Amino acid sequence: MSMTQVRSASATYTYVDIENVVRRVNADLVMIADSTGCWTPEEARNYAHDVEVLAKAGYLKWVDVTLISNGVEIKAVRFEVDTDAGSLSTSRPGGVLWPKVAGAKLRIVLSYTDDYTSAAREATKGKLKIGWVTCHDDTSHAALSSSGGRNYVSNAYGMQRKDWAS
């Protein structure tokens, strides 16, 4: 277990803090996968693995997961990275038992920091389990209503989950 310290503008956290936060994100992804039947638990864990790799490298801005049925958004969550989350209190994973619906698919979209240059992409590629491709999908969830969220925090590192539903 690495104790490498990472510093943001005003806060310090370790790789272990990132691992603690991503463990909660992983639990949510597995719940979403299981409840919708759209991904296997292994697929969900592979996505979480890549989220952790990119987060530890400082390349991850947010992760967006959307349940789509026949082209219509049903539910969505976005995990936004917060490197100064020390004032937030952490939540337990959950609240993402999504429905099984006809014609369903799950879409996952990652947004990267400006530090994720082409050289960084090349250096990171061998560590990732998913063959990520460029996506230009609208992830504003304009047709959905905000439905709460949760905070996953360890020391100064966190991810704020925002939820949407139809």
Side-chain angles (χ1 to χ4, degrees), residues 7-117:
R7 293 188 192 280
S8 67
S10 59
T12 302
Y13 49 89
T14 67
Y15 281 171
V16 171
D17 294 316
I18 295 170
E19 291 166 1
N20 288 338
V21 169
V22 173
R23 192 174 307 118
R24 292 178 183 104
V25 172
N26 177 62
D28 280 352
L29 294 179
V30 170
M31 279 185 241
I32 290 168
D34 187 53
S35 63
T36 63
C38 292
W39 292 338
T40 65
E42 182 180 2
E43 286 174 300
R45 285 190 294 275
N46 286 344
Y47 289 126
H49 170 271
D50 286 5
V51 164
E52 184 174 311
V53 167
L54 293 164
K56 283 180 174 178
Y59 299 145
L60 188 67
K61 204 187 285 185
W62 51 256
V63 178
D64 190 278
V65 180
T66 309
L67 174 62
I68 300 169
S69 173
N70 298 313
V72 177
E73 290 188 2
I74 306 298
K75 295 242 186 205
V77 292
R78 178 171 296 170
F79 303 91
E80 293 188 10
V81 171
D82 185 344
T83 57
D84 194 11
S87 63
L88 299 175
S89 57
T90 199
S91 308
R92 294 172 71 165
V96 285
L97 293 176
W98 290 0
K100 277 187 170 42
V101 293
K105 75 172 190 172
L106 287 172
R107 175 188 66 204
I108 184 166
V109 177
L110 306 183
S111 180
Y112 307 107
T113 64
D114 292 338
D115 294 334
Y116 200 45
T117 62

